[in-house]
Amino acid sequence: MSTSINEGLALFLGGGGARAAYQAGVLRAFASARPEFEPQLLTGVSAGAINIAHLANRPGSFAEATETLEDLWRRIEVGRVFEVRTLPLLYHAMCVLSKLAIGWAPSLDPIRGMVDTAPLAEFLHESYGSSELLRVQENIDRGAVRAVALLGLEYATGRTISFCSGSEFHEWERPLRRAFRTNLRLEHVMASAALPLFFPAVDVGGTFYGDGGVRLTAPLASAVHLGAERLLAISTRYRPTGKEAEIPRFHGAPSPAQITGNLFAAMFLDVVDQDALQLERINSLIAKVPEGERNGLRNVGLLVIRPSRDLGALANDFEPKLPWMFRFLLRRLGGTNDRSQVLASTVLFQDDYLRLLLEIGEEDGHANLDALDKLMA
């Protein structure tokens, strides 16, 4: 590991559910072509937190961790993310939908999600080696990692919480945002990745948390607070061209699935682009201020990698392979006439779809090696 090359180098991985397989492909390409690439500041939210936890909890080099991360995504399937047996799936889904429609008897135990994510917790426990991410601190102690942050939403207060481990950082607090030091565990990963309504909220220390992307207005802020000087962000959102953006994705009144898809895109996909634009504007302003008058503000180099293909549009070819009951429920919400299925692609943990995202990620990673070199220079 070259400390000088990676000093102040941060990695942020955003959300997007199954789309996060794309991030693993990009990182695999970067690490295989540039073995010296080892970001020291690791931050992630939602499905990106699953990837960040794996990279931070690695037993070997960062390049080796990207290999095993790709293997993790090749082993994931729907049944390893949530319960797919017909009766349990139907029961949870109907309970949530009934609660939304007509309420739920106070005397009954609350139903917090449409699916049971116990299989995901079991799968990640097996992949990470334990519920306590012990190697995170080991990597911090040996200098391979300086700090790690996983973001979750504290439902009771509406605050975005950054669960952090690291050798050199200060806890911070901003309006509706707070960071504190803790020993990272599997429950922090599950909390950050708990898609609202679909996945149940997660109890962490007596407080319930959900997907950190829900109210996340500044996804890159945690990396900056941790000391980032250069920042690589991998989004799972395809950026359409001007003409593509003008083409309607569907016709007629929007279905519940299409409305939900837009909400999910706003929460998990769009905010990275918005925050990246804000960071670039701040960089341009800082450059005009003399160094002695910047009051601690610094220029943060930024590289955002985005899919070269619309991952939502690709989902149309794989949605029919979902377990029939889950497919039935999604179709009842009315998303099959959308040329880019944001909602379906988020929960489409189909092995062939995930393999395709890994391949696209690797292709995009190799295509952006020059940009990575500029960031690391």
Side-chain angles (χ1 to χ4, degrees), residues 240-257:
T241 64
K243 291 184 177 180
E244 286 177 323
E246 295 176 359
I247 301 174
R249 298 202 329 264
F250 58 88
H251 298 281
S255 68

Side-chain angles (χ1 to χ4, degrees), residues 5 8 102 106 136 141-142 166 180 187 210 239 268 303 323 339 357:
I5 291 177
I102 60 175
V136 172
D141 291 340
R142 69 184 179 92
F180 62 84
E187 61 194 27
R239 175 182 283 179
F268 306 124
L303 171 61
R339 67 177 176 85
L357 300 194

Side-chain angles (χ1 to χ4, degrees), residues 22 25-26 29-30 305-309 359-369:
Y22 170 81
V26 173
F30 280 171
I305 303 296
R306 304 176 181 86
S308 58
R309 299 168 65 182
E359 293 170 4
I360 295 172
E362 288 213 37
E363 292 172 2
D364 290 353
H366 286 294
N368 282 278
L369 285 175

Side-chain angles (χ1 to χ4, degrees), residues 262-323:
N262 277 286
L263 292 174
F264 273 34
M267 288 187 290
F268 306 124
L269 308 181
D270 297 347
V271 289
V272 173
D273 286 338
Q274 296 167 3
D275 204 23
L277 178 60
Q278 182 76 355
L279 181 57
E280 289 169 350
R281 287 173 173 170
I282 292 174
N283 282 340
S284 65
L285 291 174
I286 290 175
K288 299 177 181 179
V289 178
E291 288 191 19
E293 301 176 13
R294 294 179 180 178
N295 296 321
L297 294 176
R298 64 186 184 281
N299 184 290
V300 178
L302 177 64
L303 171 61
V304 180
I305 303 296
R306 304 176 181 86
S308 58
R309 299 168 65 182
D310 187 341
L311 307 186
L314 295 174
N316 284 297
D317 295 332
F318 299 92
E319 181 269 345
K321 298 181 181 180
L322 281 169

Side-chain angles (χ1 to χ4, degrees), residues 82-100:
F82 51 81
E83 177 62 69
V84 295
R85 288 179 300 168
T86 299
L87 290 181
L89 180 58
L90 184 61
Y91 171 74
H92 277 82
M94 291 300 100
C95 286
V96 169
L97 294 175
S98 297
K99 185 173 183 179
L100 290 173

Side-chain angles (χ1 to χ4, degrees), residues 87-130:
L87 290 181
L89 180 58
L90 184 61
Y91 171 74
H92 277 82
M94 291 300 100
C95 286
V96 169
L97 294 175
S98 297
K99 185 173 183 179
L100 290 173
I102 60 175
W104 188 256
S107 59
L108 298 177
D109 291 335
I111 298 295
R112 298 192 295 268
M114 288 182 65
V115 298
D116 178 3
T117 54
L120 178 60
E122 182 178 348
F123 176 70
L124 292 179
H125 184 281
E126 172 191 330
S127 298
Y128 296 156
S130 72

